[in-house]
PDB file of all heavy atoms in Angstrom:
ATOM      1  N   SER C 131      -5.815   1.214 -19.799  1.00  0.00           N
ATOM      2  CA  SER C 131      -5.457   2.619 -19.991  1.00  0.00           C
ATOM      3  C   SER C 131      -6.607   3.495 -20.456  1.00  0.00           C
ATOM      4  O   SER C 131      -6.860   4.586 -20.024  1.00  0.00           O
ATOM      5  CB  SER C 131      -4.180   2.852 -20.745  1.00  0.00           C
ATOM      6  OG  SER C 131      -4.397   2.341 -22.106  1.00  0.00           O
ATOM      7  N   MET C 132      -7.212   2.960 -21.527  1.00  0.00           N
ATOM      8  CA  MET C 132      -8.380   3.777 -22.100  1.00  0.00           C
ATOM      9  C   MET C 132      -9.517   3.782 -21.209  1.00  0.00           C
ATOM     10  O   MET C 132     -10.141   4.914 -21.031  1.00  0.00           O
ATOM     11  CB  MET C 132      -8.747   3.121 -23.445  1.00  0.00           C
ATOM     12  CG  MET C 132      -9.772   4.047 -24.281  1.00  0.00           C
ATOM     13  SD  MET C 132     -10.178   3.347 -25.840  1.00  0.00           S
ATOM     14  CE  MET C 132     -11.600   2.316 -25.448  1.00  0.00           C
ATOM     15  N   VAL C 133      -9.854   2.740 -20.596  1.00  0.00           N
ATOM     16  CA  VAL C 133     -10.960   2.628 -19.629  1.00  0.00           C
ATOM     17  C   VAL C 133     -10.845   3.670 -18.586  1.00  0.00           C
ATOM     18  O   VAL C 133     -11.741   4.462 -18.246  1.00  0.00           O
ATOM     19  CB  VAL C 133     -11.179   1.242 -19.046  1.00  0.00           C
ATOM     20  CG1 VAL C 133     -12.071   1.216 -17.761  1.00  0.00           C
ATOM     21  CG2 VAL C 133     -11.566   0.243 -20.056  1.00  0.00           C
ATOM     22  N   MET C 134      -9.652   3.679 -17.927  1.00  0.00           N
ATOM     23  CA  MET C 134      -9.438   4.535 -16.789  1.00  0.00           C
ATOM     24  C   MET C 134      -9.363   5.970 -17.244  1.00  0.00           C
ATOM     25  O   MET C 134      -9.532   6.877 -16.354  1.00  0.00           O
ATOM     26  CB  MET C 134      -8.081   4.140 -16.023  1.00  0.00           C
ATOM     27  CG  MET C 134      -8.197   2.757 -15.516  1.00  0.00           C
ATOM     28  SD  MET C 134      -9.470   2.665 -14.210  1.00  0.00           S
ATOM     29  CE  MET C 134      -9.434   0.864 -13.724  1.00  0.00           C
ATOM     30  N   SER C 135      -8.979   6.324 -18.501  1.00  0.00           N
ATOM     31  CA  SER C 135      -8.851   7.717 -18.825  1.00  0.00           C
ATOM     32  C   SER C 135     -10.185   8.337 -19.394  1.00  0.00           C
ATOM     33  O   SER C 135     -10.283   9.524 -19.222  1.00  0.00           O
ATOM     34  CB  SER C 135      -7.834   7.889 -19.915  1.00  0.00           C
ATOM     35  OG  SER C 135      -8.161   7.131 -21.113  1.00  0.00           O
ATOM     36  N   ILE C 136     -11.039   7.505 -19.824  1.00  0.00           N
ATOM     37  CA  ILE C 136     -12.301   8.112 -20.394  1.00  0.00           C
ATOM     38  C   ILE C 136     -13.574   7.794 -19.628  1.00  0.00           C
ATOM     39  O   ILE C 136     -14.656   8.542 -19.730  1.00  0.00           O
ATOM     40  CB  ILE C 136     -12.519   7.661 -21.871  1.00  0.00           C
ATOM     41  CG1 ILE C 136     -12.985   6.103 -21.904  1.00  0.00           C
ATOM     42  CG2 ILE C 136     -11.311   7.864 -22.724  1.00  0.00           C
ATOM     43  CD1 ILE C 136     -13.380   5.770 -23.306  1.00  0.00           C
ATOM     44  N   SER C 137     -13.503   6.906 -18.561  1.00  0.00           N
ATOM     45  CA  SER C 137     -14.789   6.459 -17.921  1.00  0.00           C
ATOM     46  C   SER C 137     -15.031   7.461 -16.783  1.00  0.00           C
ATOM     47  O   SER C 137     -14.216   7.880 -16.060  1.00  0.00           O
ATOM     48  CB  SER C 137     -14.639   5.097 -17.467  1.00  0.00           C
ATOM     49  OG  SER C 137     -14.393   4.127 -18.515  1.00  0.00           O
ATOM     50  N   ASP C 138     -16.393   7.592 -16.599  1.00  0.00           N
ATOM     51  CA  ASP C 138     -16.843   8.265 -15.425  1.00  0.00           C
ATOM     52  C   ASP C 138     -17.082   7.259 -14.252  1.00  0.00           C
ATOM     53  O   ASP C 138     -17.001   7.700 -13.041  1.00  0.00           O
ATOM     54  CB  ASP C 138     -18.144   9.122 -15.696  1.00  0.00           C
ATOM     55  CG  ASP C 138     -17.952  10.154 -16.820  1.00  0.00           C
ATOM     56  OD1 ASP C 138     -17.169  11.168 -16.509  1.00  0.00           O
ATOM     57  OD2 ASP C 138     -18.567  10.005 -17.845  1.00  0.00           O
ATOM     58  N   TYR C 139     -17.464   6.145 -14.717  1.00  0.00           N
ATOM     59  CA  TYR C 139     -17.759   5.127 -13.736  1.00  0.00           C
ATOM     60  C   TYR C 139     -17.374   3.729 -14.247  1.00  0.00           C
ATOM     61  O   TYR C 139     -17.373   3.517 -15.439  1.00  0.00           O
ATOM     62  CB  TYR C 139     -19.342   5.101 -13.518  1.00  0.00           C
ATOM     63  CG  TYR C 139     -19.817   4.469 -12.233  1.00  0.00           C
ATOM     64  CD1 TYR C 139     -19.633   5.224 -11.050  1.00  0.00           C
ATOM     65  CD2 TYR C 139     -20.407   3.295 -12.122  1.00  0.00           C
ATOM     66  CE1 TYR C 139     -20.081   4.711  -9.781  1.00  0.00           C
ATOM     67  CE2 TYR C 139     -20.866   2.740 -10.921  1.00  0.00           C
ATOM     68  CZ  TYR C 139     -20.689   3.419  -9.742  1.00  0.00           C
ATOM     69  OH  TYR C 139     -21.054   2.963  -8.560  1.00  0.00           O
ATOM     70  N   VAL C 140     -16.953   2.767 -13.379  1.00  0.00           N
ATOM     71  CA  VAL C 140     -16.548   1.482 -13.752  1.00  0.00           C
ATOM     72  C   VAL C 140     -17.154   0.498 -12.965  1.00  0.00           C
ATOM     73  O   VAL C 140     -17.282   0.550 -11.725  1.00  0.00           O
ATOM     74  CB  VAL C 140     -14.935   1.420 -13.635  1.00  0.00           C
ATOM     75  CG1 VAL C 140     -14.527  -0.034 -14.086  1.00  0.00           C
ATOM     76  CG2 VAL C 140     -14.227   2.504 -14.424  1.00  0.00           C
ATOM     77  N   VAL C 141     -17.643  -0.650 -13.664  1.00  0.00           N
ATOM     78  CA  VAL C 141     -18.328  -1.722 -12.965  1.00  0.00           C
ATOM     79  C   VAL C 141     -17.435  -2.962 -13.210  1.00  0.00           C
ATOM     80  O   VAL C 141     -17.093  -3.296 -14.430  1.00  0.00           O
ATOM     81  CB  VAL C 141     -19.704  -1.952 -13.403  1.00  0.00           C
ATOM     82  CG1 VAL C 141     -20.357  -3.275 -12.829  1.00  0.00           C
ATOM     83  CG2 VAL C 141     -20.623  -0.784 -13.117  1.00  0.00           C
ATOM     84  N   VAL C 142     -16.979  -3.665 -12.179  1.00  0.00           N
ATOM     85  CA  VAL C 142     -16.090  -4.795 -12.310  1.00  0.00           C
ATOM     86  C   VAL C 142     -16.837  -6.043 -12.139  1.00  0.00           C
ATOM     87  O   VAL C 142     -17.461  -6.338 -11.077  1.00  0.00           O
ATOM     88  CB  VAL C 142     -14.917  -4.681 -11.334  1.00  0.00           C
ATOM     89  CG1 VAL C 142     -13.871  -5.795 -11.733  1.00  0.00           C
ATOM     90  CG2 VAL C 142     -14.258  -3.268 -11.436  1.00  0.00           C
ATOM     91  N   LEU C 143     -16.773  -7.069 -13.106  1.00  0.00           N
ATOM     92  CA  LEU C 143     -17.447  -8.364 -12.983  1.00  0.00           C
ATOM     93  C   LEU C 143     -16.349  -9.385 -12.765  1.00  0.00           C
ATOM     94  O   LEU C 143     -15.223  -9.340 -13.355  1.00  0.00           O
ATOM     95  CB  LEU C 143     -18.175  -8.614 -14.253  1.00  0.00           C
ATOM     96  CG  LEU C 143     -19.399  -7.597 -14.614  1.00  0.00           C
ATOM     97  CD1 LEU C 143     -20.086  -8.088 -15.880  1.00  0.00           C
ATOM     98  CD2 LEU C 143     -20.230  -7.314 -13.479  1.00  0.00           C
ATOM     99  N   ASP C 144     -16.798 -10.456 -12.137  1.00  0.00           N
ATOM    100  CA  ASP C 144     -15.998 -11.722 -11.996  1.00  0.00           C
ATOM    101  C   ASP C 144     -16.975 -12.903 -12.008  1.00  0.00           C
ATOM    102  O   ASP C 144     -17.755 -13.050 -11.087  1.00  0.00           O
ATOM    103  CB  ASP C 144     -15.216 -11.699 -10.718  1.00  0.00           C
ATOM    104  CG  ASP C 144     -14.286 -12.852 -10.514  1.00  0.00           C
ATOM    105  OD1 ASP C 144     -13.986 -13.585 -11.544  1.00  0.00           O
ATOM    106  OD2 ASP C 144     -13.907 -13.094  -9.374  1.00  0.00           O
ATOM    107  N   VAL C 145     -16.901 -13.745 -13.060  1.00  0.00           N
ATOM    108  CA  VAL C 145     -17.781 -14.843 -13.171  1.00  0.00           C
ATOM    109  C   VAL C 145     -19.193 -14.465 -12.939  1.00  0.00           C
ATOM    110  O   VAL C 145     -19.976 -15.166 -12.165  1.00  0.00           O
ATOM    111  CB  VAL C 145     -17.308 -16.014 -12.172  1.00  0.00           C
ATOM    112  CG1 VAL C 145     -17.840 -17.341 -12.622  1.00  0.00           C
ATOM    113  CG2 VAL C 145     -15.842 -16.131 -12.137  1.00  0.00           C
ATOM    114  N   GLY C 146     -19.703 -13.447 -13.568  1.00  0.00           N
ATOM    115  CA  GLY C 146     -21.083 -13.056 -13.502  1.00  0.00           C
ATOM    116  C   GLY C 146     -21.528 -12.201 -12.247  1.00  0.00           C
ATOM    117  O   GLY C 146     -22.670 -11.775 -12.247  1.00  0.00           O
ATOM    118  N   ARG C 147     -20.537 -12.024 -11.338  1.00  0.00           N
ATOM    119  CA  ARG C 147     -20.818 -11.317 -10.220  1.00  0.00           C
ATOM    120  C   ARG C 147     -20.148  -9.906 -10.199  1.00  0.00           C
ATOM    121  O   ARG C 147     -19.007  -9.796 -10.665  1.00  0.00           O
ATOM    122  CB  ARG C 147     -20.443 -12.008  -8.915  1.00  0.00           C
ATOM    123  CG  ARG C 147     -21.280 -13.312  -8.700  1.00  0.00           C
ATOM    124  CD  ARG C 147     -20.741 -13.978  -7.411  1.00  0.00           C
ATOM    125  NE  ARG C 147     -21.494 -15.205  -7.219  1.00  0.00           N
ATOM    126  CZ  ARG C 147     -21.033 -16.352  -7.532  1.00  0.00           C
ATOM    127  NH1 ARG C 147     -19.923 -16.559  -8.110  1.00  0.00           N
ATOM    128  NH2 ARG C 147     -21.860 -17.469  -7.199  1.00  0.00           N
ATOM    129  N   LYS C 148     -20.753  -8.918  -9.562  1.00  0.00           N
ATOM    130  CA  LYS C 148     -20.043  -7.577  -9.387  1.00  0.00           C
ATOM    131  C   LYS C 148     -19.253  -7.670  -8.181  1.00  0.00           C
ATOM    132  O   LYS C 148     -19.698  -7.983  -7.093  1.00  0.00           O
ATOM    133  CB  LYS C 148     -21.091  -6.524  -9.349  1.00  0.00           C
ATOM    134  CG  LYS C 148     -20.565  -5.085  -9.185  1.00  0.00           C
ATOM    135  CD  LYS C 148     -21.674  -4.045  -9.054  1.00  0.00           C
ATOM    136  CE  LYS C 148     -22.395  -4.263  -7.778  1.00  0.00           C
ATOM    137  NZ  LYS C 148     -23.495  -3.125  -7.713  1.00  0.00           N
ATOM    138  N   ILE C 149     -17.957  -7.299  -8.399  1.00  0.00           N
ATOM    139  CA  ILE C 149     -16.997  -7.381  -7.302  1.00  0.00           C
ATOM    140  C   ILE C 149     -16.560  -5.901  -6.769  1.00  0.00           C
ATOM    141  O   ILE C 149     -16.034  -5.788  -5.758  1.00  0.00           O
ATOM    142  CB  ILE C 149     -15.758  -8.254  -7.436  1.00  0.00           C
ATOM    143  CG1 ILE C 149     -14.916  -7.671  -8.676  1.00  0.00           C
ATOM    144  CG2 ILE C 149     -16.182  -9.685  -7.777  1.00  0.00           C
ATOM    145  CD1 ILE C 149     -13.598  -8.265  -8.723  1.00  0.00           C
ATOM    146  N   SER C 150     -16.790  -5.033  -7.753  1.00  0.00           N
ATOM    147  CA  SER C 150     -16.438  -3.588  -7.399  1.00  0.00           C
ATOM    148  C   SER C 150     -17.169  -2.618  -8.364  1.00  0.00           C
ATOM    149  O   SER C 150     -17.542  -3.025  -9.469  1.00  0.00           O
ATOM    150  CB  SER C 150     -14.994  -3.371  -7.533  1.00  0.00           C
ATOM    151  OG  SER C 150     -14.602  -2.073  -7.160  1.00  0.00           O
ATOM    152  N   GLU C 151     -17.380  -1.477  -7.902  1.00  0.00           N
ATOM    153  CA  GLU C 151     -17.824  -0.370  -8.795  1.00  0.00           C
ATOM    154  C   GLU C 151     -17.520   0.991  -8.166  1.00  0.00           C
ATOM    155  O   GLU C 151     -17.259   1.069  -7.044  1.00  0.00           O
ATOM    156  CB  GLU C 151     -19.411  -0.433  -8.998  1.00  0.00           C
ATOM    157  CG  GLU C 151     -20.257  -0.221  -7.735  1.00  0.00           C
ATOM    158  CD  GLU C 151     -21.743  -0.312  -8.057  1.00  0.00           C
ATOM    159  OE1 GLU C 151     -22.136   0.145  -9.157  1.00  0.00           O
ATOM    160  OE2 GLU C 151     -22.505  -0.801  -7.218  1.00  0.00           O
ATOM    161  N   GLY C 152     -17.372   2.024  -8.997  1.00  0.00           N
ATOM    162  CA  GLY C 152     -17.016   3.308  -8.547  1.00  0.00           C
ATOM    163  C   GLY C 152     -16.339   4.082  -9.653  1.00  0.00           C
ATOM    164  O   GLY C 152     -16.332   3.765 -10.756  1.00  0.00           O
ATOM    165  N   THR C 153     -15.823   5.239  -9.216  1.00  0.00           N
ATOM    166  CA  THR C 153     -14.957   5.990 -10.220  1.00  0.00           C
ATOM    167  C   THR C 153     -13.764   5.280 -10.578  1.00  0.00           C
ATOM    168  O   THR C 153     -13.363   4.287  -9.932  1.00  0.00           O
ATOM    169  CB  THR C 153     -14.575   7.357  -9.574  1.00  0.00           C
ATOM    170  OG1 THR C 153     -13.658   7.032  -8.472  1.00  0.00           O
ATOM    171  CG2 THR C 153     -15.805   8.088  -9.041  1.00  0.00           C
ATOM    172  N   PRO C 154     -13.092   5.642 -11.684  1.00  0.00           N
ATOM    173  CA  PRO C 154     -11.862   4.885 -12.073  1.00  0.00           C
ATOM    174  C   PRO C 154     -10.849   4.867 -10.904  1.00  0.00           C
ATOM    175  O   PRO C 154     -10.129   3.911 -10.694  1.00  0.00           O
ATOM    176  CB  PRO C 154     -11.345   5.739 -13.273  1.00  0.00           C
ATOM    177  CG  PRO C 154     -12.594   6.226 -13.879  1.00  0.00           C
ATOM    178  CD  PRO C 154     -13.493   6.609 -12.747  1.00  0.00           C
ATOM    179  N   GLN C 155     -10.709   5.987 -10.213  1.00  0.00           N
ATOM    180  CA  GLN C 155      -9.864   6.030  -9.119  1.00  0.00           C
ATOM    181  C   GLN C 155     -10.156   5.177  -7.948  1.00  0.00           C
ATOM    182  O   GLN C 155      -9.330   4.443  -7.380  1.00  0.00           O
ATOM    183  CB  GLN C 155      -9.739   7.506  -8.529  1.00  0.00           C
ATOM    184  CG  GLN C 155      -8.631   7.639  -7.489  1.00  0.00           C
ATOM    185  CD  GLN C 155      -7.278   7.450  -8.071  1.00  0.00           C
ATOM    186  OE1 GLN C 155      -6.972   7.707  -9.246  1.00  0.00           O
ATOM    187  NE2 GLN C 155      -6.299   7.004  -7.255  1.00  0.00           N
ATOM    188  N   GLU C 156     -11.430   5.018  -7.635  1.00  0.00           N
ATOM    189  CA  GLU C 156     -11.860   4.036  -6.583  1.00  0.00           C
ATOM    190  C   GLU C 156     -11.601   2.684  -6.937  1.00  0.00           C
ATOM    191  O   GLU C 156     -11.151   1.822  -6.188  1.00  0.00           O
ATOM    192  CB  GLU C 156     -13.405   4.340  -6.377  1.00  0.00           C
ATOM    193  CG  GLU C 156     -13.708   5.698  -5.599  1.00  0.00           C
ATOM    194  CD  GLU C 156     -15.171   5.916  -5.575  1.00  0.00           C
ATOM    195  OE1 GLU C 156     -15.906   5.466  -6.444  1.00  0.00           O
ATOM    196  OE2 GLU C 156     -15.515   6.821  -4.662  1.00  0.00           O
ATOM    197  N   VAL C 157     -11.959   2.316  -8.207  1.00  0.00           N
ATOM    198  CA  VAL C 157     -11.800   0.992  -8.705  1.00  0.00           C
ATOM    199  C   VAL C 157     -10.300   0.673  -8.813  1.00  0.00           C
ATOM    200  O   VAL C 157      -9.820  -0.478  -8.438  1.00  0.00           O
ATOM    201  CB  VAL C 157     -12.483   0.761 -10.115  1.00  0.00           C
ATOM    202  CG1 VAL C 157     -12.047  -0.581 -10.712  1.00  0.00           C
ATOM    203  CG2 VAL C 157     -13.972   0.767  -9.860  1.00  0.00           C
ATOM    204  N   ARG C 158      -9.457   1.514  -9.323  1.00  0.00           N
ATOM    205  CA  ARG C 158      -7.992   1.464  -9.423  1.00  0.00           C
ATOM    206  C   ARG C 158      -7.367   1.062  -8.043  1.00  0.00           C
ATOM    207  O   ARG C 158      -6.455   0.237  -7.992  1.00  0.00           O
ATOM    208  CB  ARG C 158      -7.476   2.741  -9.929  1.00  0.00           C
ATOM    209  CG  ARG C 158      -5.900   2.600 -10.292  1.00  0.00           C
ATOM    210  CD  ARG C 158      -5.374   3.932 -10.472  1.00  0.00           C
ATOM    211  NE  ARG C 158      -6.016   4.828 -11.328  1.00  0.00           N
ATOM    212  CZ  ARG C 158      -5.807   4.848 -12.611  1.00  0.00           C
ATOM    213  NH1 ARG C 158      -4.772   4.175 -13.191  1.00  0.00           N
ATOM    214  NH2 ARG C 158      -6.511   5.657 -13.426  1.00  0.00           N
ATOM    215  N   ASN C 159      -7.938   1.578  -6.966  1.00  0.00           N
ATOM    216  CA  ASN C 159      -7.390   1.349  -5.590  1.00  0.00           C
ATOM    217  C   ASN C 159      -8.042   0.261  -4.897  1.00  0.00           C
ATOM    218  O   ASN C 159      -7.636  -0.073  -3.702  1.00  0.00           O
ATOM    219  CB  ASN C 159      -7.464   2.653  -4.741  1.00  0.00           C
ATOM    220  CG  ASN C 159      -6.630   3.736  -5.387  1.00  0.00           C
ATOM    221  OD1 ASN C 159      -5.502   3.503  -5.942  1.00  0.00           O
ATOM    222  ND2 ASN C 159      -7.022   4.997  -5.263  1.00  0.00           N
ATOM    223  N   ASP C 160      -9.029  -0.452  -5.443  1.00  0.00           N
ATOM    224  CA  ASP C 160      -9.688  -1.542  -4.745  1.00  0.00           C
ATOM    225  C   ASP C 160      -8.812  -2.734  -4.750  1.00  0.00           C
ATOM    226  O   ASP C 160      -8.416  -3.270  -5.807  1.00  0.00           O
ATOM    227  CB  ASP C 160     -11.022  -1.806  -5.542  1.00  0.00           C
ATOM    228  CG  ASP C 160     -11.859  -2.952  -4.725  1.00  0.00           C
ATOM    229  OD1 ASP C 160     -11.292  -3.848  -4.222  1.00  0.00           O
ATOM    230  OD2 ASP C 160     -13.151  -2.726  -4.796  1.00  0.00           O
ATOM    231  N   PRO C 161      -8.357  -3.255  -3.578  1.00  0.00           N
ATOM    232  CA  PRO C 161      -7.512  -4.415  -3.590  1.00  0.00           C
ATOM    233  C   PRO C 161      -8.030  -5.625  -4.371  1.00  0.00           C
ATOM    234  O   PRO C 161      -7.184  -6.371  -4.971  1.00  0.00           O
ATOM    235  CB  PRO C 161      -7.356  -4.718  -2.096  1.00  0.00           C
ATOM    236  CG  PRO C 161      -7.678  -3.415  -1.389  1.00  0.00           C
ATOM    237  CD  PRO C 161      -8.743  -2.834  -2.278  1.00  0.00           C
ATOM    238  N   ASN C 162      -9.323  -5.895  -4.309  1.00  0.00           N
ATOM    239  CA  ASN C 162      -9.973  -7.008  -4.994  1.00  0.00           C
ATOM    240  C   ASN C 162      -9.680  -6.964  -6.522  1.00  0.00           C
ATOM    241  O   ASN C 162      -9.372  -7.873  -7.183  1.00  0.00           O
ATOM    242  CB  ASN C 162     -11.401  -7.099  -4.746  1.00  0.00           C
ATOM    243  CG  ASN C 162     -11.662  -7.511  -3.284  1.00  0.00           C
ATOM    244  OD1 ASN C 162     -10.894  -8.247  -2.708  1.00  0.00           O
ATOM    245  ND2 ASN C 162     -12.769  -7.046  -2.719  1.00  0.00           N
ATOM    246  N   VAL C 163      -9.840  -5.609  -7.002  1.00  0.00           N
ATOM    247  CA  VAL C 163      -9.708  -5.415  -8.468  1.00  0.00           C
ATOM    248  C   VAL C 163      -8.251  -5.539  -8.833  1.00  0.00           C
ATOM    249  O   VAL C 163      -7.908  -6.169  -9.787  1.00  0.00           O
ATOM    250  CB  VAL C 163     -10.265  -4.004  -8.892  1.00  0.00           C
ATOM    251  CG1 VAL C 163     -10.027  -3.746 -10.311  1.00  0.00           C
ATOM    252  CG2 VAL C 163     -11.728  -3.924  -8.567  1.00  0.00           C
ATOM    253  N   ILE C 164      -7.407  -4.948  -8.044  1.00  0.00           N
ATOM    254  CA  ILE C 164      -5.970  -5.051  -8.317  1.00  0.00           C
ATOM    255  C   ILE C 164      -5.477  -6.506  -8.428  1.00  0.00           C
ATOM    256  O   ILE C 164      -4.763  -6.905  -9.276  1.00  0.00           O
ATOM    257  CB  ILE C 164      -5.121  -4.292  -7.238  1.00  0.00           C
ATOM    258  CG1 ILE C 164      -5.411  -2.775  -7.331  1.00  0.00           C
ATOM    259  CG2 ILE C 164      -3.659  -4.515  -7.423  1.00  0.00           C
ATOM    260  CD1 ILE C 164      -4.889  -1.969  -6.184  1.00  0.00           C
ATOM    261  N   ALA C 165      -5.916  -7.301  -7.377  1.00  0.00           N
ATOM    262  CA  ALA C 165      -5.494  -8.742  -7.351  1.00  0.00           C
ATOM    263  C   ALA C 165      -6.049  -9.560  -8.490  1.00  0.00           C
ATOM    264  O   ALA C 165      -5.440 -10.416  -9.106  1.00  0.00           O
ATOM    265  CB  ALA C 165      -5.902  -9.344  -5.996  1.00  0.00           C
ATOM    266  N   ALA C 166      -7.317  -9.271  -8.862  1.00  0.00           N
ATOM    267  CA  ALA C 166      -8.010 -10.096  -9.843  1.00  0.00           C
ATOM    268  C   ALA C 166      -7.714  -9.725 -11.214  1.00  0.00           C
ATOM    269  O   ALA C 166      -7.660 -10.561 -12.176  1.00  0.00           O
ATOM    270  CB  ALA C 166      -9.508 -10.072  -9.589  1.00  0.00           C
TER     271      ALA C 166
END
């Protein structure tokens, strides 16, 4: 909740790899991020 409310940009990692990046809204709607 804090991340999505204050961040301009979000980078999502999974086991050392980037699986998504973008604005909070873009990341929020990324199916890979939602699932993981």
Side-chain angles (χ1 to χ4, degrees):
S131 57
M132 189 176 89
V133 166
M134 296 300 176
S135 66
I136 72 171
S137 300
D138 300 295
Y139 204 74
V140 180
V141 178
V142 189
L143 303 184
D144 182 19
V145 198
R147 297 183 179 91
K148 180 178 69 178
I149 64 167
S150 183
E151 65 179 322
T153 66
Q155 188 62 32
E156 290 168 339
V157 168
R158 189 195 306 268
N159 294 326
D160 187 321
N162 292 328
V163 176
I164 294 171

